[in-house]
Structure formats: structure tokens, C-alpha cells
Amino acid sequence: MVCLGNICRSPLAQGIMEEKAKKYNLKDIYVDSAGTADYHVGSKPDSRSIEIAKKHGIDISKQRGREFSEVDFDIFDKIYVMDSSNLYDVLALAKSEDEHKKVDLILNKIYPGENKSVPDPYYGGGDGFEKVYQMLNASCEKIASSLSKK
Ligand code: 4NP
């Protein structure tokens, strides 16, 4: 799960995906998140993301920010990015066609082929974080349910 800062969207995506893995009893799955920028390496998730996750019964407070690196292509089978700018930055580090194919916009799981972005809630107010939670919840549900059928 990759976003820009690894403090708002992708930590939430990681927490939700870990919950779905439990719900669907997916044992051979390892979930992590990262940011394409290094601004928040070592930081806790944004307090608003921690709160929204908590409201939905998920604890993401132990996560710490890290920067996406090309080694992640060796570790992970799938790399879900939040927006088109993350997509551009991650693909710039891909070294092969196989690595390219690992990367997708997470909202393509629920809106196939539409290439929509998860809006960055960092500078916004209101219910931005709840909206992001709902989008990520629906996408992770889809990922987990399809994995459970494999
Ligand atoms: P995220 O949100 O990419 O969802 O973690 C952001 C967090 C921090 C910044 C930008 C976006 N920032 O500029 O510090």
C-alpha cells in the first residue's frame, strides 16, 4: 500500500487489509505500506487516520512511516498505489515488465479500468478521512475476497 507521505492513506489501507486478511483467514499474506516521499520516515500515522481506524475497530498506531524503495518489487507480489502521482513515482522505479505489472491503483479494484485516485485528505477537513476509509474498505474487501477464492 503506497501513498505520498505514508501517514494518511496507506497506513489506513495497511490496517484495513490486515483486518480483511484475518476475516478471510488468509494465512500467506504479508501487508505493509510505504510513501514515495521521505518526509515522514519513522513517524506515526497522522492522528486523524489513527482516529478513523480506531472508530472502525482497527489499531494503526504502531505503524511507522517508511519510504518506498525498489527492493519492494522483490518482496511484494502486488503494489497498490493511492493516486496517479504515486503510480508515476513507483513505476519510475520498476526495472522490468513483470515489476510494472505488480503495480495498480487500488480503486481499480472497485472501479475497474477507471484509474481513479484516492483523494489526499492531508490538507482537507471535514469527512475526508471517513470517505478515504470507505473507499479503502471496499477495495480491500474485494482484494481479500478474490484472494480467498484462489
Ligand atoms: P498521505 O498524505 O500521502 O496520504 O500520507 C500526505 C501526508 C503528508 C504530506 C502529503 C500527503 N506532506 O506533504 O507532508
Side-chain angles (χ1 to χ4, degrees):
M1 302 300 183
V2 178
C3 63
L4 174 63
N6 193 209
I7 54 166
C8 295
R9 292 164 294 175
S10 59
L12 205 44
Q14 178 185 339
I16 294 169
M17 194 61 221
E18 286 169 347
E19 278 301 303
K20 301 289 182 195
K22 276 190 218 154
K23 174 180 165 190
Y24 282 90
N25 204 21
L26 302 171
K27 296 213 163 57
D28 296 327
I29 182 172
Y30 172 66
V31 188
D32 198 8
S33 64
T36 56
D38 65 359
Y39 321 136
H40 300 285
V41 170
S43 303
K44 280 184 166 198
D46 187 283
S47 57
R48 296 164 295 176
S49 273
I50 294 178
E51 272 309 304
I52 264 310
K54 194 171 161 197
K55 184 180 150 207
H56 293 279
I58 300 171
D59 179 11
I60 63 166
S61 66
K62 311 245 167 7
Q63 293 186 31
R64 294 295 179 268
R66 75 174 181 93
E67 189 180 7
F68 182 82
S69 100
E70 58 184 41
V71 178
D72 287 309
F73 283 107
D74 302 326
I75 302 171
F76 296 96
D77 299 314
K78 286 299 301 181
I79 296 166
Y80 290 109
V81 296
M82 302 296 131
D83 66 30
S84 51
S85 146
N86 311 148
L87 183 66
Y88 180 86
D89 291 338
V90 167
L91 287 180
L93 297 175
K95 297 178 295 303
S96 66
E97 191 53 35
D98 271 358
E99 291 189 353
H100 255 251
K101 283 191 199 141
K102 290 184 175 192
V103 189
D104 199 4
L105 285 156
I106 193 165
L107 289 185
N108 278 340
K109 297 309 287 186
I110 49 171
Y111 304 114
E114 292 191 29
N115 297 329
K116 288 179 187 256
S117 291
V118 178
D120 188 344
Y122 186 65
Y123 297 105
D127 60 353
F129 281 80
E130 177 62 28
K131 285 197 173 128
V132 165
Y133 173 87
Q134 295 300 340
M135 290 174 199
L136 294 175
N137 187 50
S139 306
C140 291
E141 177 67 27
K142 201 75 181 270
I143 296 168
S145 71
S146 23
L147 286 175
S148 74
K149 290 177 194 126
K150 283 195 176 158

